Amino acid sequence: LQLQSGRIITPSYHTLPLTPAEDGELSEGHVLYSDDMGETWQLSDSFGRRYLSNECQAVQLDSGDVLINARTRGLSRYQTLSHDDGVTFDDGGLVDELREPVSGCEMSMVRNGTMLWFSGPTEPSLYRQNMTLWKSTNQGNSWSVARVIDSGPSGYSSLAMINDRFLGILYERASENRVVFVPEHISFTLAWL
C-alpha cells in the first residue's frame, strides 16, 4: 500500500520468540515500510500480541491514519491504528461485528472514497463458510453486512476496486465443509456498490 506521504507499507506478521519454527500460530503483527520506493525497508513496532494477530490488511483513512485489520486466535478480528504512517500502533482491540471461523482466516479490506469494504467467511463456527461483504461508513469504527456473496464453504478472499460502482472479490470455495479447508475452486464475483 502506498500512503499519501509516498511511503510504501506491507502489513506482515512474525512468529513469537520461543515458538517452534514451523508454528506460525503464536504471532504478532508488524509493518515493513520503505521511504525510497523499496530500495531499503524498516520494521515497525509490533502490534496485536495479546490477540496473536497475523495475516494483516491495511488501508489509509481520510485522516491519514493507517488502519490494520488482522486475523486472531479468537472468533473476532483485531484492529489497530497508526498515526505516524505505520511506524507505531495504538493498543487496538477486537471488532465484535467481524466474526471469523475457529481456525481464523485471511480476509481482505479496501477503501473506496470514505467507504471501507471487508470480505471473508465471517461465520464463527468450526468451518470456513458464509463469504460476506461488509462495509464501514465511519472509517472502521463499526461494520455492517453489505451482502452475503456465498453461503457455502469459502476461504481466503481478495478485494479490488474495479471502478466507483463495482468491487471485485476473488475467493476460495469448496463443495463441502471440512475442518481443514480444501479449496476446490477460485471464484470471482462483481459486487455493485
Side-chain angles (χ1 to χ4, degrees):
L1 172 65
Q2 187 165 20
L3 305 180
Q4 296 163 358
S5 66
R7 173 173 286 169
I8 298 170
I9 66 169
T10 301
S12 308
Y13 68 97
H14 57 272
T15 300
L16 294 172
L18 306 177
T19 303
E22 67 278 356
D23 182 358
E25 299 298 322
L26 302 177
S27 56
E28 64 185 348
H30 66 261
V31 165
L32 296 171
Y33 63 92
S34 174
D35 292 321
D36 57 12
M37 299 305 291
E39 291 290 322
T40 60
W41 293 89
Q42 305 296 317
L43 183 64
S44 76
D45 287 352
S46 298
F47 53 80
R49 177 179 283 201
R50 178 178 174 193
Y51 305 104
L52 303 174
S53 66
N54 60 56
E55 297 184 343
C56 313
Q57 301 289 311
V59 294
Q60 187 168 34
L61 303 176
D62 291 340
S63 64
D65 292 343
V66 175
L67 174 67
I68 297 283
N69 183 294
R71 176 182 179 172
T72 69
R73 294 304 304 153
L75 294 176
S76 296
R77 302 288 292 181
Y78 166 79
Q79 285 187 169
T80 183
L81 283 173
S82 172
H83 307 290
D84 56 10
D85 276 1
V87 177
T88 62
F89 294 86
D90 65 19
D91 291 337
L94 296 178
V95 182
D96 292 331
E97 301 103 321
L98 297 180
R99 307 293 281 168
E100 60 185 344
V102 170
S103 64
C105 191
E106 184 275 337
M107 301 187 190
S108 187
M109 180 173 62
V110 296
R111 176 180 160 201
N112 181 30
T114 59
M115 186 85 69
L116 299 181
W117 297 95
F118 179 85
S119 65
T122 53
E123 183 72 30
S125 71
L126 187 58
Y127 305 111
R128 292 178 176 174
Q129 59 190 22
N130 203 41
M131 180 59 64
T132 304
L133 181 63
W134 294 75
K135 66 180 177 180
S136 175
T137 59
N138 59 8
Q139 305 295 290
N141 290 309
S142 64
W143 295 88
S144 60
V145 173
R147 69 179 50 113
V148 173
I149 301 296
D150 187 331
S151 61
S154 47
Y156 284 23
S157 63
S158 182
L159 290 172
M161 293 307 306
I162 305 301
N163 58 36
D164 287 343
R165 294 184 44 228
F166 289 97
L167 177 70
I169 177 171
L170 188 69
Y171 68 99
E172 301 172 321
R173 65 185 180 97
S175 58
E176 63 182 82
N177 277 319
R178 297 181 185 149
V179 174
V180 176
F181 184 81
V182 179
E184 297 168 348
H185 310 283
I186 303 295
S187 294
F188 178 78
T189 300
L190 278 178
W192 58 98
L193 307 178

